[in-house]
Amino acid sequence: MRGRGGGTRVTAVVAALALASVGLSACAILPRSGQCLDYIDLPTSTARYDEAALVVVASVTSTDRTAELSGRYTVHRALVTEVLKGHRPSGALDVVNPSDQCTTSGEPVTYLEGDDLARDGRYLLYLRAPAGGSSTWTLVVPNALDDPSVAAALPHR
């Protein structure tokens, strides 16, 4: 009798391991990728200014478009009214706010405290140049924006 009970437990363990390995191989088949970024700390306007390729004052509105950048981001439209650093690109800018959470390619991104660009308004934006042939600008770190009045305290280059 003991042998049968022990055998049943061994069979159950073997079956559980087999199911787990099938599940793991199914996960490997699905084409999902993503990333978790640990952004450098840019706690001040001056630090964000120094890191940015382009610093502008702009009127920002949300669009119904998205961009795939290691996750699906809402694209915001920025109409530039003043350039503090860098060269003004022609026309309006497409801008995304990088997520402060891990992202999965193809899935909508999330934010710990929300996407500050989702509130239409006039902002001072600290931007990283588009990468990889994209035309979409990215804030240097999540929610790297200020009230336009901060511009007076920053150098103009």
Side-chain angles (χ1 to χ4, degrees):
M1 297 270 169
R2 280 185 173 172
R4 288 179 79 178
T8 303
R9 273 185 251 147
V10 169
T11 304
V13 170
V14 170
L17 288 173
L19 284 173
S21 68
V22 168
L24 289 175
S25 62
C27 288
I29 294 170
L30 297 174
R32 299 180 71 88
S33 63
Q35 63 183 349
C36 294
L37 297 178
D38 189 15
Y39 291 95
I40 57 173
D41 191 24
L42 300 174
T44 66
S45 299
T46 303
R48 291 187 293 269
Y49 180 91
D50 291 342
E51 185 68 23
L54 180 66
V55 180
V56 298
V57 174
S59 294
V60 177
T61 56
S62 295
T63 71
D64 59 354
R65 295 181 297 121
T66 59
E68 175 62 40
L69 309 167
S70 75
R72 198 167 61 231
Y73 287 85
T74 297
V75 174
H76 306 279
R77 187 65 131 183
L79 298 172
V80 176
T81 58
E82 182 181 358
V83 176
L84 280 72
K85 178 182 176 184
H87 299 288
R88 180 187 186 145
S90 60
L93 304 178
D94 287 339
V95 178
V96 298
N97 185 8
S99 175
D100 54 5
Q101 302 294 296
C102 295
T103 61
T104 302
S105 194
E107 296 296 320
V109 299
T110 58
Y111 299 89
L112 188 60
E113 295 183 21
D115 178 359
D116 284 354
L117 287 177
R119 292 184 304 272
D120 294 354
R122 195 163 174 262
Y123 299 105
L124 176 60
L125 304 175
Y126 305 90
L127 300 167
R128 184 176 314 282
S134 172
S135 61
T136 304
W137 292 77
T138 307
L139 296 178
V140 293
V141 292
N143 295 321
L145 53 91
D146 283 315
D147 184 90
S149 64
V150 173
L154 296 172
H156 290 63
R157 294 185 196 162

